[in-house]
Amino acid sequence: MSYIFRTIIVPAAFQPLAQGLCEAAAEGDAGKGMFTTGLSPDGTEPATHYISSGPIATEFGDLLPLTTFDEEGAPTTRPGAVATVEAIAAQAGIDLPAGTIAALFAAIDVTEQEPFAAMARLGVQIAQVSE
Amino acid sequence: MELGIGLGITIFPGWGVMNIGQLFASGEQGAWYDPSDMSSLFQDSAGTTPVTAVEQPVGLMLDKSGRGNHAVQATTTKRPVLSARVNLLTKTDNFADAAWTKSSVTVTGSTVLGPNGVDLVPILNYSGEGLIRQSVGKSTDAINYKSSCWLYSPTSNALTTRLVGDGAVIAGSTTKITVAAGAWTKFESWGTAGAGTTFIRFDVLAPSGSDISAWHPSLTLATDAHLPYQRVNTATDYDAPAKYPAYTQVDGTDDALTSATGGGGTTGFFFSSAVLTTLAGAKQVLWSDAGTNTGYEVSINAANKLQLSVGTGATRVTVESAALSTNARYVLTAWHDGTNIYVRVNTGTPVSVACGVASAGTAEVTQFCENGASAGYFRGRSYGVVYRKDAAPGPATIDAVIRYLATKSGGPV
């Protein structure tokens, strides 16, 4: 299996769906337990977003949208494979209203950026859990 | 002198022989993780796909202590990545490549013999007041960088290298030297890319009309600048022999490993790890079996200090070091001898606080690089970890472990 690097940030409202889809799409437990690190603008709870960053299977990464940046920081976004992901969801028994995956892909931020650079760009930071 | 690094055997003048395995020779619980030993690494948590090259994920790190406390991560995005990368540039052996952005510069098609008398190096023509540059993404923290590059011109010219952060020349980084005709000259530039900048750029400038050649460009963290030039073709294709210390790259957002067995004891504990952290101002857990007021937790705390926190059942007792710097190599050591708890940075003087018996931690589950509750993630490099559950070793052995780990990171002690 080959891997590619991705940083994925999802709005909190999409966290359960993103977790379910990743778990369904990945082999074994490889997609289980994603999006557990909360983010927020001021670094306090509640989380407004969740992040997963690191190696993912190449074929999984190819399904997702991808935003890249040129040297001046100008973004270009490649769309995700909505129909394929809808099929994966259906196969996993995840019943979704029409347009849900498209809405998810429109809301998530998928880049090759180092996670802290992606967080800074979106104006969020890790929500520290008070001890 | 150091012998047999791969076996964990290190000989130091005056320190005797240290075999890391001897820490566990009497059946002591603990673990020894060694990222430089690729045979102990697997990409998946099940151990079916070995790590065969740098920049592959590490889903399973075998415990070399013999105790079987292997560290795993099932979720792919939470796996650290094995790396030995120090030179942040790509296509370092070919300035003619498109990875090098050229402004008023053309590749002539001719070559000149490099400083090593072997390599044929492309000749570039500056048709105007141009530059050759390459940008590299960075985290938004302030980071010290250093660049080096050999430059050549057939005629005497004032050549320049410099570092640029998000389009602004980094103060003090400009190195301008009038090179002798036909001689190779090594240029070095260094400076701090400030907080908030997201790109660091390396520039080579020359006057209009000049021909130049550039060889062995390098852009590293300042702390890596002492290492030899590292050829980098792509992010996954670069020179990674032993002279570049291997490390697991941990991202500070969700990367962590866990061992279902191991943990700390109640009357003794020892932990030592060679690390480089790239994060400041946030708690970063290095090792934990802590529950509420139980177990041990070794961290770099929010004040950037090495901290050992021990739960006694009713409260937590902590001891901390002086503040650490980011982007610097350290061997961080913490231990409990049943009477006191200690932290020690490199081979500095230990700091201690009285602490009696600890309260046993979380069912012997051991967390690395997080607190076990999806928080306290470490960001940086881990060059190796040694811990022992029960009685802490004596001072000479602790010194030897620290020096062994220092050889793994290539850093000072």
Side-chain angles (χ1 to χ4, degrees), chain A residues 1 3 29-34 36-37 51-56 70-71 73 114-117 119-120 126 128-129 131, chain B residues 43 57 74-79 81 101 133 135 138-140 199 251-255 279 282-283 374-375 377 379:
Chain A
M1 177 179 289
Y3 294 91
D29 288 341
K32 201 172 180 178
M34 291 176 65
T36 55
T37 301
I51 187 170
S52 273
S53 178
I56 61 174
D70 66 17
E71 200 175 271
E114 185 270 334
F116 283 76
M119 286 188 276
I126 291 176
Q128 302 293 339
V129 180
E131 294 189 5
Chain B
Q43 296 186 57
T75 307
T76 58
T77 53
K78 294 183 174 181
R79 293 173 187 161
V81 172
T101 302
R133 66 181 190 270
S135 291
K138 64 178 280 291
S139 66
T140 52
F199 281 97
D251 72 3
T253 55
D254 58 2
D255 289 357
L279 183 63
K283 182 177 177 180
S374 296
Y377 291 103
R379 189 178 83 181

Side-chain angles (χ1 to χ4, degrees), chain B residues 355-366:
Chain B
C355 180
V357 175
S359 181
T362 54
E364 299 190 340
V365 173
T366 308

Side-chain angles (χ1 to χ4, degrees), chain B residues 26-395:
Chain B
S26 299
E28 294 92 339
Q29 271 294 344
W32 166 25
Y33 305 112
D34 178 7
S36 72
D37 180 359
M38 215 179 277
S39 71
S40 70
L41 307 176
F42 292 83
Q43 296 186 57
D44 60 329
S45 56
T48 55
T49 308
V51 170
T52 56
V54 290
E55 303 304 325
Q56 291 179 346
V58 178
L60 167 63
M61 189 178 293
L62 296 180
D63 167 20
K64 295 174 66 173
S65 75
R67 299 283 80 78
N69 295 316
H70 310 310
V72 300
Q73 176 52 259
T75 307
T76 58
T77 53
K78 294 183 174 181
R79 293 173 187 161
V81 172
L82 178 68
S83 185
R85 180 91 178 268
V86 292
N87 189 350
L88 304 171
L89 301 171
T90 60
K91 301 294 179 184
T92 59
D93 55 359
N94 187 7
F95 268 77
D97 189 274
W100 292 94
T101 302
K102 300 169 187 71
S103 175
S104 299
V105 175
T106 56
V107 180
T108 65
S110 302
T111 57
V112 66
L113 203 58
N116 63 351
V118 176
D119 296 344
L120 292 175
V121 186
I123 297 175
L124 309 161
N125 178 258
Y126 280 65
S127 57
E129 295 290 332
L131 61 87
I132 307 170
R133 66 181 190 270
Q134 188 173 141
S135 291
V136 176
K138 64 178 280 291
S139 66
T140 52
D141 315 280
I143 299 175
N144 296 326
Y145 291 97
K146 186 171 183 181
S147 68
S148 67
C149 184
W150 289 83
L151 296 178
Y152 166 95
S153 183
T155 56
S156 179
N157 270 312
L159 307 180
T160 302
T161 63
R162 68 185 184 192
L163 299 174
V164 177
D166 281 2
V169 176
I170 294 172
S173 75
T174 299
T175 299
K176 187 172 186 176
I177 301 173
T178 299
V179 299
W184 284 96
T185 304
K186 189 175 186 181
F187 284 64
E188 294 182 335
S189 295
W190 54 91
T192 303
T197 57
T198 56
F199 281 97
I200 176 76
R201 197 179 86 196
F202 171 65
D203 289 354
V204 178
L205 299 91
S208 176
S210 52
D211 285 343
I212 75 155
S213 293
W215 187 73
H216 281 193
S218 180
L219 173 65
T220 69
L221 298 178
T223 192
D224 292 328
H226 66 291
L227 294 168
Y229 162 76
Q230 183 179 47
R231 181 200 65 85
V232 180
N233 182 30
T234 67
T236 56
D237 174 18
Y238 56 85
D239 288 342
K243 61 184 174 183
Y244 307 110
Y247 55 88
T248 48
Q249 180 77 50
V250 187
D251 72 3
T253 55
D254 58 2
D255 289 357
L257 294 163
T258 185
S259 172
T261 55
T266 56
T267 58
F269 169 69
F270 172 75
F271 168 90
S272 191
S273 181
V275 301
L276 177 153
T277 179
T278 59
L279 183 63
K283 182 177 177 180
Q284 303 175 77
V285 175
L286 299 171
W287 189 103
S288 177
D289 75 339
T292 304
N293 294 331
T294 64
Y296 295 89
E297 182 184 81
V298 184
S299 66
I300 299 170
N301 64 23
N304 309 317
K305 298 174 178 178
L306 170 62
Q307 176 178 290
L308 172 60
S309 168
V310 181
T312 61
T315 188
R316 298 199 73 82
V317 179
T318 63
V319 60
E320 64 182 25
S321 71
L324 307 173
S325 299
T326 55
N327 295 298
R329 290 179 173 78
Y330 293 106
V331 177
L332 302 180
T333 305
W335 69 95
H336 179 209
D337 63 8
T339 305
N340 294 293
I341 55 175
Y342 303 82
V343 289
R344 188 178 187 190
V345 177
N346 296 330
T347 51
T349 303
V351 181
S352 67
V353 165
C355 180
V357 175
S359 181
T362 54
E364 299 190 340
V365 173
T366 308
Q367 306 290 340
F368 301 94
C369 304
E370 70 147 317
N371 69 354
S374 296
Y377 291 103
F378 173 71
R379 189 178 83 181
R381 306 171 180 175
S382 173
Y383 296 94
V385 175
V386 174
Y387 84 86
R388 197 164 82 173
K389 179 176 180 177
D390 295 310

